[in-house]
Amino acid sequence: MLNCCIERKRSREMRETEPSVSKYVDANSSTDDEEFYDCTSDKVEEEDTRRKTKHALWNQPVGRLGKFENLKLIKLGDPLYIPITQDPVPKTEDQLQEDTDILLQLGSDAQGSELRAKMMSASLLSDMESFKAANPGSILEDFIRWYSPRDWIEEDGLDQWGQKMGHLSARMLIADNPWVQMWQSAKPVPANRQKRLFDDTREAEKVLHFLDSRTFAQIIEMLFPILAHAAICRLYDECEQVSPVLPSAHKSLQQAIRLVQKISRDDQITERLCGALIQQIAALELSISQANSLLYKFNPAGGCDETVYVFTEKLLNGCEVEIEDASKSNIGSRLTSMFTEAQRLANMILTEHSGGSAENNSTGNIIFPQANEREFVMRVAAVRPASYSKKSPQFLRAILSKSEFRLAGAFSEDIVYF
């Protein structure tokens, strides 16, 4: 609504500052096809006088947009012109709901019906006044033919102007018809001189006052559907980029879209649904960030590399991946250089803290960082419990760290004859 108010005000100010150029049809000029004949000057002066006195000075036609088909005014026979009218009044969902509640509260009695008709007829009265200003001497039937053609029932005969005759519909002939009363009270006023149906200044002040009286939580609640929609659009673009290595991203995105739809359709935003949506978006953003990071590290030049895609997809799925050709492969060399760079930076930091030089540091030439934990696994098939028993599998795992070590074993023996 605030953006609409700003746009309306800018348009109005631009029209006021523009030089006055005649955009309307000149009342004294004839737009009909004219035929020129040889005539005396007296006849020319008589014709000019007739045109000037056709409409009074206070009733000159203004605010014409153009001719309406080939119709003519019923009483005068002049062409029927489409008037320039005011733009319709924009309404938000809240305002429409408020108007509906007010109309329902008026009741169904005669007084309530009259008030309801007045509230709904502001735009109609403005259009009638614009029509009268553009078509001096017009009657209600002329207005109905332009504004509500369904309420004009045509007949077979032709009138004196060569157009089909007709009459108003049954609903327009009801006693105390609001349309008839409004037509009688309407004055010939062009749209640019009428009271504005939509006061953009007042409506903008209402919006600003409404926002100023809201709490921060209420502002977030109002902006939440818009922010959620923007987040979904951004995630969709990101998912398209990482779809070769993260096919599950689209499935997660569809779940987030369903949550957004459910939130936007509810009358009130619940904390539970908002929390679920935020968690869903955060998890998807984390997965996309990890995918982008791995793709850049393994393939900084970009381009389509199926080997890197397969390797990255397995890593993102939490699988252990075997690197073919070890450090000789493209991925292996990238991993080695990554660890080398990380170790070099770590050695520089250690050197700065210890005050020594990188050459004197014993870890300066180590490519991979020192292991935080070591694990040894031994598997063997041995004869147990006797030397003539069949071989059975034996397993032993040793885990060594700086502060502890752990042993875990699984042993079996031949029990067929024992």
Side-chain angles (χ1 to χ4, degrees):
M1 176 58 73
L2 187 59
N3 290 334
C4 183
C5 293
I6 295 172
E7 184 65 25
R8 289 286 183 91
K9 186 175 182 180
R10 286 180 176 175
S11 300
R12 189 178 70 256
E13 291 178 349
M14 288 178 62
R15 289 195 300 268
E16 292 175 354
T17 55
E18 287 178 354
S20 58
V21 180
S22 178
K23 298 180 181 180
Y24 309 139
V25 179
D26 188 2
N28 296 326
S29 63
S30 176
T31 57
D32 298 333
D33 295 334
E34 297 181 350
E35 297 180 359
F36 298 92
Y37 300 95
D38 293 334
C39 58
T40 61
S41 59
D42 295 337
K43 291 184 178 181
V44 175
E45 292 177 358
E46 182 180 354
E47 182 69 19
D48 293 340
T49 304
R50 187 185 66 81
R51 289 182 178 178
K52 292 180 181 179
T53 60
K54 189 174 184 179
H55 301 290
L57 293 177
W58 56 269
N59 198 22
Q60 293 295 321
V62 289
R64 290 177 170 179
L65 185 62
K67 287 185 178 181
F68 183 64
E69 300 177 353
N70 295 322
L71 297 182
K72 296 182 179 181
L73 300 180
I74 296 176
K75 296 294 184 181
L76 302 179
D78 293 342
L80 193 151
Y81 288 91
I82 301 174
I84 296 176
T85 59
Q86 295 194 51
D87 294 331
V89 179
K91 294 280 187 179
T92 62
E93 293 182 1
D94 299 337
Q95 291 175 335
L96 291 175
Q97 185 63 36
E98 290 178 2
D99 294 345
T100 303
D101 295 339
I102 293 174
L103 294 176
L104 292 175
Q105 291 174 3
L106 292 177
S108 58
D109 56 352
Q111 185 178 3
S113 300
E114 184 178 357
L115 291 174
R116 190 182 299 107
K118 289 182 178 180
M119 291 179 60
M120 300 175 64
S121 60
S123 178
L124 178 60
L125 179 60
S126 172
D127 293 340
M128 284 184 174
E129 291 182 343
S130 299
F131 186 85
K132 279 191 172 183
N135 299 277
S138 59
I139 58 177
L140 179 61
E141 285 79 357
D142 297 321
F143 177 77
I144 294 298
R145 287 192 298 166
W146 166 69
Y147 197 85
S148 182
R150 293 184 179 180
D151 290 313
W152 178 254
I153 301 174
E154 293 184 347
E155 300 175 356
D156 295 334
L158 299 177
D159 61 7
Q160 57 181 335
W161 315 115
Q163 58 185 353
K164 287 188 176 182
M165 300 177 61
H167 61 275
L168 296 177
S169 63
R171 78 182 187 107
M172 288 296 172
L173 298 176
I174 299 175
D176 298 332
N177 191 319
W179 287 59
V180 177
Q181 297 176 359
M182 201 171 303
W183 178 261
Q184 294 174 354
S185 62
K187 304 292 180 61
V189 182
N192 60 346
R193 297 178 185 175
Q194 296 175 6
K195 181 181 178 181
R196 285 181 289 170
L197 296 176
F198 178 69
D199 191 346
D200 48 70
T201 304
R202 182 165 57 87
E203 293 297 331
E205 289 177 353
K206 285 183 179 180
V207 174
L208 295 176
H209 176 71
F210 175 80
L211 295 176
D212 186 57
S213 60
R214 300 299 97 181
T215 62
F216 185 74
Q218 291 173 334
I219 295 294
I220 294 298
E221 183 177 352
M222 290 187 292
L223 292 177
F224 191 84
I226 302 174
L227 297 176
H229 182 266
I232 292 297
C233 293
R234 179 59 185 269
L235 286 174
Y236 178 80
D237 296 337
E238 296 290 340
C239 289
E240 289 294 325
Q241 297 178 4
V242 299
S243 56
V245 298
L246 196 65
S248 61
H250 285 287
K251 184 177 180 180
S252 300
L253 182 61
Q254 291 298 326
Q255 295 176 357
I257 291 175
R258 285 194 288 269
L259 282 175
V260 172
Q261 291 175 345
K262 190 172 183 181
I263 291 173
S264 61
R265 291 173 183 173
D266 292 343
D267 295 335
Q268 294 182 351
I269 299 178
T270 59
E271 183 179 354
R272 180 180 61 84
L273 290 177
C274 291
L277 176 62
I278 292 174
Q279 292 179 359
Q280 185 78 19
I281 292 178
L284 184 56
E285 285 181 339
L286 178 61
S287 300
I288 293 174
S289 300
Q290 291 175 345
N292 287 327
S293 177
L294 291 175
L295 287 175
Y296 177 75
K297 290 176 179 177
F298 295 142
N299 189 16
C304 182
D305 192 336
E306 191 65 27
T307 305
V308 174
Y309 287 165
V310 174
F311 181 79
T312 305
E313 182 180 359
K314 291 181 179 179
L315 283 181
L316 292 173
N317 292 331
C319 303
E320 291 186 1
V321 187
E322 182 179 354
I323 304 175
E324 298 181 1
D325 298 333
S327 61
K328 296 180 180 179
S329 63
N330 185 25
I331 296 177
S333 61
R334 289 296 305 168
L335 286 172
T336 303
S337 62
M338 287 165 53
F339 279 105
T340 303
E341 182 68 17
Q343 185 65 14
R344 185 180 64 82
L345 294 176
N347 293 337
M348 291 176 60
I349 295 174
L350 291 175
T351 303
E352 291 177 359
H353 284 288
S354 61
S357 59
E359 290 77 5
N360 297 330
N361 197 336
S362 59
T363 61
N365 297 324
I366 300 178
I367 296 178
F368 293 98
Q370 187 177 359
N372 185 50
E373 186 178 85
R374 297 178 183 273
E375 180 177 333
F376 301 92
V377 177
M378 292 171 284
R379 297 183 178 89
V380 66
V383 292
R384 292 185 67 241
S387 59
Y388 50 82
S389 300
K390 288 186 177 181
K391 292 184 178 181
S392 55
Q394 316 296 325
F395 175 82
L396 180 63
R397 173 177 290 171
I399 301 173
L400 306 178
S401 62
K402 295 181 180 180
S403 58
E404 62 175 355
F405 73 92
R406 286 174 289 167
L407 296 175
F411 309 100
S412 61
E413 60 183 19
D414 183 13
I415 59 173
V416 176
Y417 300 106
F418 297 94

